[in-house]
Amino acid sequence: MNMRGKIAGRVAEVPPSGIRRFFELVQGVEGVISLGVGEPDFVTPWHIREACIYSLEKGYTMYTSNYGMPELREELSRAISRRYGVDYSPENELLVTVGVSEAFDLAIRALVDPGDEVLIPEPCYVSYVPCTVFAGGKPVSVPTSAEEGFRVSAESIEERITERSKVLVLCYPNNPTGATLRRKELEEIAEVVVEHELVVITDELYDRLTYSGKHVAFPSLNGMKEYCVYLNGFSKSYAMTGWRIGYAAGCAEVIEAMMKIHQYAMLCAPVMSQMAALEALRRGDGAVESMRRAYDRRRRLIVKRLREVGLECFEPEGAFYVFPSVRSTGMSSEEFAERLLREQKVAVVPGNAFGSSGEGHVRMAYATSLESINEAMDRIERFLRR
Amino acid sequence: MQELEILSLLEENARLSMREIADATGVEEEKVKKIVEELEKRGVLLAYRAVVNWEKAGVEKVCALIDVKITPEREHGYDSVASRIMRFPEVKSLYLVSGTYDLSVLVEGRSMREVASFVAEKLAPLQNVTSTTTHFVLKKYKEAGVMLYDGEELRRLAVSP
């Protein structure tokens, strides 16, 4: 039988991930310094791992509530309220998920009917467009550029609104650009949201990693709680990527709809990860802050060195990525990344992997030691001098 | 603020150059130099040293933690006894502690005999020292914040979203 012919059309039509392709390229090369990793270089703080081990010893190995453990939801509700002044009921407005990746997929599937349009500012995280397509929705890209600091504006969103527009995706601090949005810009977007009755899916996974000014959570804006699904997780701020644990917060109706899918597709998030997340929320603030300070040092170093070697680089204010332009080299994103890998063994991710408006840029993650950043930059300097 | 940032960088890695510190903190290199000199002068920055696993280097060293009870002196309290003890080069660290004894002394020597004779001939006979209890170190797991065994490896994929 020809299995290829049996694959569902909307899955077959999604091209293979640009990151995946590059990963395979890097696999074959030895002695690579990688700035291509989208995760912290810290191992999860010991107290969190230790709490998980203890929970296993105590026999926490069973299913939990579909929504997630009640204690964890209560702790999440308190944490969001304390940090951003938004109150989500632990009863029915919070859902613990297998990372933000699952939460995003659930939100899209809960909201999007075939043909509905999802507005996605680009460059953006790699899963937004495919998840929309899998759900039968139509992704509508809202391009941003280095000139505007990769901040999406209310006008450019509004320009692309049609009668099928239903969802707006926001991700600030942004992967891959490191851009953040100011309160004023968010408020302008909120006006458009109200006027056109959009639902905002706001992925704020990097909220704890900002370096100038305080993060503004979208649901904390006046009246926005009822317009949005707020997504967050533990991967980046607590260095817990492999635990696959995140959550969604929103009005009871949308959380209930998301839970409906989650209960059949996933049942519940792994209990050991939930126990670890509980410990992270209770006693992890110190570790988050010390990691944030380490990233900030690396951010200063990499931005300075990029500018010294002559790569134009907009200053990132959040997450742990820089997104320099490589246009001055005359190379495309992919050509730059592939040649840099082959000639100097430094891995970076071509910007077009994050949408066509990422062309002309590459993503470098500075979640790596100061020494590695210096070594990588020395190599990039040699690469550019040729 | 800049001072504290520089201190915490150096505490983590004393080999950082002035330029590397400047790049990481955003403070100008000349200014970093000045701040570091000032911190050295004020005795805030005391020494820059390596943490060595001597066992791996094939060098035998013997360490002992010694609990010392002393009678404090009028006017000087514990300080005058402590300042006599800390001058011996065999003494690697010295703390005044609360609890059932007064001073905790970390002594290092080339052999057990050397350490034992230091205790018997130098430490115990000191005036005001009323008793000593010697605990020889059997194995070091962590030194100056560095784990000697079971270091954790990074197991990240080379490229991830």
Side-chain angles (χ1 to χ4, degrees), chain A residues 234-307:
Chain A
F234 295 81
S235 293
K236 313 293 172 159
S237 39
Y238 296 95
M240 290 175 67
T241 46
W243 301 78
R244 309 309 308 122
I245 186 92
Y247 56 92
C251 301
E253 294 79 10
V254 72
I255 291 298
E256 153 111 59
M258 288 168 67
M259 193 279 287
K260 227 188 232 177
I261 309 170
H262 173 77
Q263 70 181 343
Y264 297 123
M266 203 61 77
L267 219 159
C268 67
V271 62
M272 48 280 246
S273 299
Q274 294 194 49
M275 293 302 286
L278 195 54
E279 171 68 17
L281 286 172
R282 285 181 177 158
R283 279 173 283 270
D285 281 353
V288 171
E289 178 55 18
S290 75
M291 290 189 274
R292 192 196 68 85
R293 279 174 39 208
Y295 296 135
D296 195 15
R297 292 165 185 163
R298 298 155 175 193
R299 179 181 72 106
R300 289 201 195 95
L301 171 68
I302 200 164
V303 170
K304 174 165 179 276
R305 294 221 48 192
L306 282 168
R307 288 178 180 164

Side-chain angles (χ1 to χ4, degrees), chain A residues 19 22-23 26-27 34 36-43 49 125-126 175 293 296-297 300-301 304-305 308 321 347 349 354 363 367-368 370-371 374, chain B residues 1 4-10 12-13 16-17 19-29 147 150-161:
Chain A
I19 288 211
F22 209 71
F23 171 72
V26 173
Q27 283 304 77
S34 185
V37 194
E39 66 178 320
D41 61 328
F42 299 103
V43 177
R49 288 186 275 160
Y125 185 63
V126 295
N175 176 6
R293 279 174 39 208
D296 195 15
R297 292 165 185 163
R300 289 201 195 95
L301 171 68
K304 174 165 179 276
R305 294 221 48 192
E308 279 171 4
Y321 308 105
V349 179
F354 307 96
R363 187 193 74 175
T368 189
L370 291 171
E371 297 84 66
N374 265 322
Chain B
M1 236 12 244
L4 298 187
E5 184 73 359
I6 292 171
L7 286 172
S8 78
L9 274 166
L10 282 173
E12 224 170 88
N13 180 3
L16 286 180
S17 69
R19 161 145 191 198
E20 285 166 325
I21 295 173
D23 289 347
T25 54
V27 180
E28 272 172 50
E29 194 176 336
M147 286 190 274
D150 292 331
E152 284 156 349
E153 266 175 68
L154 264 185
R155 295 178 174 84
R156 295 193 296 178
L157 302 173
V159 178
S160 60

